[in-house]
Amino acid sequence: MSSGSSELSGGCLCGAIRFRGRQVGDAARCHCEQCRRWSGDTWAAVSVANVEISGDAPRWYRSSEQAERGFCAVCGSSLFWRTIGSNRLDVALGCLDTPTGITLERHIFTAFKGDYYRIADGLPQDARE
């Protein structure tokens, strides 16, 4: 599925945080160093609007002047990325309830990818965004 408007839901590993919202962008895999460190490999996410969070509130870490990352304080699951001041969240694909109907559409920040893997799936690659 490319950018659409389907309803998505998901949560963290321990279930302390649940969320739901509407998909508003395509799914991308980020290869920048911050995302690799944050997720333990690459960060695959989709943009979601009108997000409703239930259960525990996520903890937020301001990772740069422009962005912050949300996670579960109980189990440590990496859940969200957002531009400071935005009402949209990028939500980790791995924490979505299945079936998602989502297909990865592109790779971003590939100029900064790790040296331990190749990108060989034929999807578009953007070196800087």
Side-chain angles (χ1 to χ4, degrees):
M1 168 186 284
S2 57
S3 56
S5 61
S6 58
E7 291 292 319
L8 300 171
S9 63
C12 66
L13 179 63
C14 71
I17 297 175
R18 294 287 304 163
F19 63 85
R20 63 182 323 105
R22 184 177 50 83
Q23 179 184 352
V24 293
D26 61 354
R29 183 175 307 278
C30 184
H31 298 267
C32 79
E33 184 176 359
Q34 281 191 7
C35 283
R36 286 187 289 110
R37 289 183 184 275
W38 171 250
S39 67
D41 189 26
T42 60
W43 171 256
V46 64
S47 291
V48 178
N50 304 321
V51 176
E52 298 173 11
I53 298 172
S54 58
D56 290 356
R59 296 281 308 267
W60 292 93
Y61 171 70
R62 189 165 185 159
S63 56
S64 71
E65 290 297 315
Q66 298 81 27
E68 59 188 350
R69 299 163 188 269
F71 62 97
C72 176
V74 177
C75 67
S77 293
S78 302
L79 301 170
F80 310 118
W81 180 97
R82 70 178 172 198
T83 301
I84 303 294
S86 176
N87 61 353
R88 286 175 43 170
L89 294 177
D90 284 357
V91 174
L93 293 179
C95 68
L96 293 174
D97 296 333
T98 56
T100 66
I102 296 172
T103 301
L104 193 65
E105 298 285 331
R106 62 194 174 106
H107 296 271
I108 60 175
F109 294 103
T110 57
F112 307 99
K113 72 173 231 28
D115 63 357
Y116 54 92
Y117 63 93
R118 293 181 310 126
I119 304 171
D121 58 11
L123 294 176
Q125 298 181 29
D126 189 325
R128 301 277 175 198
E129 196 279 331

